[in-house]
Amino acid sequence: MILAHLPRFHLSILAKPSFSLSSSHFSFLNPKPSVTVSRTLFSFASKSNLATVEPNPLSVSDSTDLDDAPVEIALDKLFIPPETDISGEDSASLTTRILKGSNIVLSKYARDAQVVQADYVKSSVKTEDCPADGLPEFALVGRSNVGKSSLLNSLVRRKRLALTSKKPGKTQCINHFRINDKWYLVDLPGYGYASAPHELKQDWNKFTKDYFLNRSTLVSVFLLVDASIPVKPIDLEYASWLGQNQVPMTLIFTKCDKRKKKKNGGKKPEANIKEFQDLIQGFFETTPPWIMTSSVTNQGRDEILLHMAQLRNYWLKH
Ligand code: GDP
């Protein structure tokens, strides 16, 4: 059972979510919900479908895939998008609204998620040089080798698009890819290169932080964390900085297909994910959205696109 060990809280959840919004961002740092609804834990295993707003019904019996096993998650650990009312939902109907392998509830804004076109646009060295057409964007960031290029390619279903970001001279840039001529996926420099000189590391830090704080069209940062290895302090630092600066963040756990054997001392992705979530809990007043992914099996691909669609469509309307 995936994430069977997620912390079980004494559940209380707001009947109507009250995410306060900064000018252009979702904020995940609001006071905890206060209306007690029930103590029920929800299990979910719904399959997503990009072609439809409505999630498909619960479906577990037709699959032996581990990823399809029901997951139990505490109500107050769900990510409930703004303008999404779950107060009238019973456990069964809420279950069908949670994206598989995530804590994300689908909202009415989850539409137009398909990627039909993806084009590399430009590489910028400063926030001011980024495209100025006002389209919403999502930034992918993570430690080097976390699987960022693989994920980007998997999202746009192109084998080599992200190679652009790996070309010499582009790895330290803000790389913009326009999707469907409507929004951007942004590839940011990987952090944590052991061999990079100190000054260069500092510089990357400054430049990505400036982008996070000043890019008005940034809808959410997607922080990639390798779920196949134990928690790295540098990832915790990154998550904590984003939390403290109220930069909207979605956690993308990568390489969830890698299942380490206990006898070799390795933990399973689920255990690493739980540890990461426990450790960052203090930085956020409400649980940030998270999604389990694998670029090998394409797990989480549709879920990421649906999540991006609902954040984007909400952002465009407000
Ligand atoms: P980047 O440096 O963050 O862009 O990472 P890459 O996408 O280049 O991936 C780094 C390494 O991890 C490569 O050897 C990939 O084949 C491998 N990798 C990436 N994603 C996955 C995944 O989901 N599962 C597994 N098993 N390996 C992956």
Side-chain angles (χ1 to χ4, degrees):
M1 180 181 293
I2 298 172
L3 293 181
H5 317 295
L6 270 177
R8 295 178 184 203
F9 281 75
H10 296 287
L11 295 174
S12 76
I13 194 159
L14 197 63
K16 199 162 184 227
S18 71
F19 293 96
S20 74
L21 298 168
S22 59
S23 54
S24 61
H25 288 146
F26 288 113
S27 167
F28 305 126
L29 299 166
N30 305 305
K32 287 207 164 177
S34 60
V35 177
T36 301
V37 174
S38 85
R39 288 182 51 86
T40 319
L41 287 164
F42 289 92
S43 66
F44 61 87
S46 61
K47 289 182 187 281
S48 68
N49 180 349
L50 293 183
T52 171
V53 179
E54 296 301 322
N56 287 344
L58 187 68
S59 160
V60 280
S61 55
D62 59 343
S63 174
T64 52
D65 185 347
L66 248 184
D67 298 335
D68 282 347
V71 177
E72 287 194 341
I73 186 165
L75 251 182
D76 68 349
K77 293 287 162 187
L78 290 176
F79 170 73
I80 301 158
E83 294 181 17
T84 305
D85 185 0
I86 61 161
S87 57
E89 305 253 5
D90 60 19
S91 155
S93 70
L94 181 56
T95 294
T96 65
R97 290 183 61 181
I98 299 170
L99 288 172
K100 192 176 80 169
S102 86
N103 68 334
I104 299 168
V105 176
L106 271 181
S107 74
K108 61 182 179 184
Y109 290 101
R111 55 176 185 271
D112 302 328
Q114 301 96 325
V115 172
V116 289
Q117 196 187 340
D119 303 294
Y120 166 70
V121 177
K122 71 180 290 198
S123 298
S124 316
V125 290
K126 286 190 295 209
T127 312
E128 305 88 86
D129 298 338
C130 293
D133 50 17
L135 296 178
E137 65 193 39
F138 300 94
L140 305 182
V141 69
R143 225 165 23 79
S144 56
N145 218 38
V146 70
K148 188 156 54 74
S149 310
S150 308
L151 185 79
L152 182 55
N153 288 329
S154 146
L155 288 175
V156 299
R157 291 191 199 267
R158 294 257 292 274
K159 286 222 165 77
R160 300 164 72 80
L161 190 70
L163 270 186
T164 317
S165 313
K166 292 215 156 180
K167 283 188 187 150
K170 307 283 192 228
T171 52
Q172 297 159 44
C173 293
I174 304 169
N175 298 300
H176 275 78
F177 298 90
R178 195 168 45 231
I179 310 298
N180 305 344
D181 277 332
K182 289 200 172 134
W183 54 283
Y184 289 108
L185 269 174
V186 182
D187 191 9
L188 292 176
Y191 55 84
Y193 285 99
S195 57
H198 183 64
E199 311 82 71
L200 208 53
K201 283 188 200 160
Q202 297 281 84
D203 197 43
W204 288 344
N205 238 341
K206 212 168 133 233
F207 133 118
T208 37
K209 282 179 180 172
D210 179 73
Y211 167 85
F212 291 144
L213 296 174
N214 298 313
R215 183 68 173 159
S216 60
T217 49
L218 176 63
V219 180
S220 178
V221 173
F222 280 57
L223 177 62
L224 275 57
V225 176
D226 188 341
S228 71
I229 55 171
V231 173
K232 296 261 185 196
I234 194 164
D235 292 331
L236 293 173
E237 275 170 36
Y238 227 94
S240 111
W241 187 90
L242 291 170
Q244 277 154 16
N245 286 280
Q246 308 204 10
V247 179
M249 178 193 77
T250 298
L251 282 171
I252 301 296
F253 292 106
T254 64
K255 307 190 188 182
C256 291
D257 58 284
K258 284 180 137 184
R259 315 202 74 80
K260 293 239 171 78
K261 295 214 167 68
K262 270 257 156 76
K263 64 177 182 188
N264 297 335
K267 286 188 191 162
K268 290 193 170 157
E270 291 78 9
N272 293 324
I273 289 172
K274 180 192 179 300
E275 194 179 344
F276 194 88
Q277 291 184 330
D278 286 350
L279 289 167
I280 64 157
Q281 206 174 302
F283 312 141
F284 299 86
E285 290 220 13
T286 56
T287 310
W290 54 262
I291 306 175
M292 296 174 73
T293 71
S294 160
S295 299
V296 172
T297 64
N298 277 333
Q299 179 190 354
R301 178 188 180 277
D302 292 354
E303 288 74 12
I304 290 179
L305 292 175
L306 277 164
H307 178 55
M308 284 178 170
Q310 63 181 9
L311 294 181
R312 193 174 65 238
N313 290 323
Y314 179 87
W315 184 91
L316 284 167
K317 215 175 156 222
H318 293 84

